[in-house]
Amino acid sequence: MFCVDVAINLPVKNLFRQFTYVVPDNMAFLDTGWRVVVPFSAQKTEGFVVGRNDVVKNAGNLKSIEAVLGDGPWFDWEMLEAARWLSSYYMCSLAEAMRLFVPGKSSIKRTAVKDEKGNFLYYRYKERLKEKTVTAYRITEKGRAELKEGGIHLKAQIAALAALDGKGFLTLKELSKYKASPSVLRRLLERGCVEAGRRRILRNSYTAETERGEELLLTDEQLAAFNTVKDSINKNDGKTFLLQGVTGSGKTEIYLRAADLALKEEKQVLMLVPEIALTAQLVECFQARFGDLIAVAHSKLSQNERGDVWHRMRTGGAKILIGVRSAVFAPFEKLGLVIIDEEHEGSYKQEERPNYHARDVALKRCALAKATLILGSATPSLESYHEAKSGRYVHLRLTKRANGSRLPVAEIADMRRELADQNFSVLSRRLKEELVKTCAAGDEAIILLNRRGFSTFVMCRDCGTSITCPHCAVALVYHSAGEAMRCHYCGNTAKIPETCPKCGSRRIKFFGTGTQKAEAEIMALPEVRVLRMDQDSTAQKFAHADILKSFAAGERNVLIGTQMVAKGHDIPGVTLVGVLSADSSLNLPDFRAAERTFSLLTQAAGRAGRRDKDGCVIFQAYDAKNPVILAAAAQDYDSFAEGELKYRKELFYPPFSRMLKLTGLDKDRDEAQALAKRVVLFLETLQLEKRLSESVMVLGPFPGLVEKVMDLYRINVIVKAEDMQPVKDALLKSDFKEQKNLFFDVDPVSVI
């Protein structure tokens, strides 16, 4: 008998310590990395064994582990080390970090058992992950003997036994290839020549019969980039590469060749994409090259489907995993290459605690596994660009499109001039003209509007009151389907009032432009057939792929939507891209506003003219001479980056500092404000006592841009420091560590 330390897997933020349990004699095989069921407080819950503890006093008073989950340790050394780093870096408990590696974040499900009167008796626990099994058949020793000695004379039975000989369990579907019918197997079972059992079937929503895609001829730039990456994969030296290539420069072909090389070196590959909308096209490319060696993981998969994907990666049944940010926590038999496409995307940062960034987790996992990391983008994050310029990443450049096509010419439509000329449409005259011309020529167009809903908000024209969500400090958005308003933060819905709730006026009007309103206006143009892609139209599992397939097939000729239409798609027929409200995000009070705007516009422009026809791009903006808009129109990343980095350095923003956002939450605004003030006072006192560097900057407290969400007020404090570790250490040694309504966001992508 011995003891182990267990991290308790409960979704709470202030359970930092581990607990010691006795290991019963029948579980003497237990070691670090196993999942177990333990009694904790008044319940039984899942825990993770994080180490052996042989120096426990009074072990007789300790509780015992009650059950084990799975048939082996879930966490290997590399996964556990990554979890320990994640816990330390992102200021969360070890259990919070480890649960990210478990599909569904928990392995057990609790259900209440009640008597016939409905009185509670106890909780029953069972494993969440359900393995899908089917009946399978295996030859017995008797069957093998009769086959050898000629004791069976019917051809169908002989064929079935021959198919089973030396192969283990086969399903009826597999045996049907040998013309073994259910009746043949039933007779063999009766004779004792075969035995029936259950075999696990791995669910795979992406199985497809595809012909192997042919390798494209690489340009000189592509070949030079690939050869540099090739050397790192062969040496297993764990280098990080920033592959910066203009839109259409052939980054995907380099990904494919690097993955092919890793497989030849008997290594596995992780390919991260920022959104599900981008997954389908990449999956098709990889399936065409690698067939059933790939697996796919994203949030639309069920927990059991994700569990099957994790099993395929752990056992080596799949060699390449394509997924969104959570796929960075998958188990691997032998990880050798990680590729992060569109590495600049903010969706790689988790908004909920723990607020990890998939790029940084990938950096750590690659360091532990000595795997090669490729960060790909036409518009890299300024952090990655700075790392490359500083020599910490290897910088690879692709400056031309791979097929020889030219980058599209971008022009800016001044919407202030449009208003002055009495054009009150959401479309400028120039964009409307190009849309009609494009559709008449049989080509396709993409229209980007970074908003959902038919109209941005509903307001009384008499008193100016906007209709807001009762639970969040934000206006409700009008959606034409169902004639309802909806909160895009908590999901609350409400009917459109007939009168103003403040002044009683009936003069209620819709303001702003959403995708549904823009769709209605574009549909009125001649020869236009519109598809809309936003969060409302893509709720179903494969809705993104279905919409893009319909558009690529020419069933519709205009695709309108939010940011998801702007990224990664390679559709040959698109010759026109229009961006409505191109400058709408520039004035947000966030230091990354310019970077996000530039990236979005450049990525959107890159969808046009990717084949033999030149592309046209039109940015509609009210601030038509803004330097960011002009740089995006010129697709001049280097000039933009140099100017932005100079500004960041002057104001001590990342990548020249580290940032920490602390958010106090409370139903009472004053309480949230008071908590944030205590944090500021604590840090300022440490500075006065010289326990923190004078270069540490503490800003705030100030309310979030949306001050109230789901009835909770949010008050922020921002800390900037060249070295954030002393600040983290001080906070984690203070009472703030276990403050339930204080949240830490390390390296926030947004300060609002």
Side-chain angles (χ1 to χ4, degrees), residues 76-86 101 236 238 335 360-371:
D76 59 23
W77 171 84
E78 186 264 312
M79 293 166 70
L80 186 56
E81 285 300 303
R84 292 188 193 279
W85 169 83
L86 202 146
F101 292 81
N236 204 46
L335 181 63
D360 296 325
V361 178
L363 277 163
K364 184 62 179 180
R365 294 201 71 173
C366 285
L368 291 167
K370 295 184 178 179

Side-chain angles (χ1 to χ4, degrees), residues 450-451 580-588 597:
N450 191 24
R451 290 177 185 163
L580 312 187
S581 304
D583 54 345
S584 63
S585 57
L586 274 176
N587 295 317
L588 288 173
T597 301

Side-chain angles (χ1 to χ4, degrees), residues 243-252 341-342 344 376-380 398-408 566-570 577 598-611 617 632 635 637:
L243 178 60
Q244 182 182 352
V246 298
T247 54
S249 59
K251 294 185 290 293
T252 300
D341 193 31
E342 310 295 354
H344 64 277
S377 177
T379 54
L398 304 176
T399 61
K400 301 184 179 77
R401 285 188 158 177
N403 59 6
S405 63
R406 293 179 292 187
L407 287 171
K567 308 162 188 172
H569 313 307
D570 185 3
V577 168
F598 177 87
S599 292
L600 179 63
L601 298 183
T602 305
Q603 294 285 340
R607 301 313 108 206
R610 296 172 72 95
R611 292 298 185 272
V617 179
Q635 301 202 44
Y637 176 88

Side-chain angles (χ1 to χ4, degrees), residues 202-326:
L202 298 174
R203 287 150 285 208
N204 185 1
S205 302
Y206 288 86
T207 299
E209 295 292 331
T210 55
E211 296 183 6
R212 178 174 172 84
E214 54 184 286
E215 293 186 354
L216 303 176
L217 186 65
L218 297 183
T219 65
D220 291 342
E221 285 184 330
Q222 285 176 305
L223 186 59
F226 171 67
N227 284 336
T228 307
V229 172
K230 177 181 178 180
D231 186 56
S232 174
I233 295 173
N234 288 334
K235 290 180 178 177
N236 204 46
D237 59 11
K239 282 185 179 177
T240 297
F241 297 88
L242 176 62
L243 178 60
Q244 182 182 352
V246 298
T247 54
S249 59
K251 294 185 290 293
T252 300
E253 184 62 29
I254 294 176
Y255 300 158
L256 290 164
R257 295 213 181 188
D260 194 25
L261 177 63
L263 264 57
K264 289 175 181 175
E265 295 286 325
E266 298 184 346
K267 299 169 186 174
Q268 288 175 301
V269 179
L270 171 62
M271 172 90 194
L272 292 182
V273 294
E275 296 180 34
I276 296 172
L278 303 182
T279 306
Q281 198 165 29
L282 265 170
V283 169
E284 289 178 3
C285 289
F286 274 77
Q287 274 183 330
R289 191 71 60 91
F290 303 108
D292 288 338
L293 293 178
I294 72 163
V296 182
H298 54 69
S299 60
K300 297 290 185 182
L301 297 183
S302 70
Q303 183 175 344
N304 290 321
E305 285 179 307
R306 186 179 289 252
D308 285 350
V309 169
W310 262 222
H311 179 80
R312 291 182 68 200
M313 300 312 299
R314 182 190 296 279
T315 60
K319 302 299 182 184
I320 300 172
L321 176 61
I322 303 174
V324 292
R325 66 171 179 259
S326 59

Side-chain angles (χ1 to χ4, degrees), residues 17-35:
R17 58 172 290 205
Q18 284 87 57
F19 296 83
T20 304
Y21 289 86
V22 173
V23 177
D25 291 339
N26 65 338
M27 300 180 193
F29 55 84
L30 270 185
D31 204 347
T32 302
W34 280 80
R35 295 168 298 161

Side-chain angles (χ1 to χ4, degrees), residues 176-198:
S176 65
K177 299 175 184 177
Y178 305 97
K179 300 182 180 179
S181 65
S183 61
V184 168
L185 291 165
R186 186 168 58 249
R187 293 190 187 98
L188 290 172
L189 277 169
E190 291 169 354
R191 295 187 60 168
C193 292
V194 300
E195 60 182 357
R198 305 294 295 178

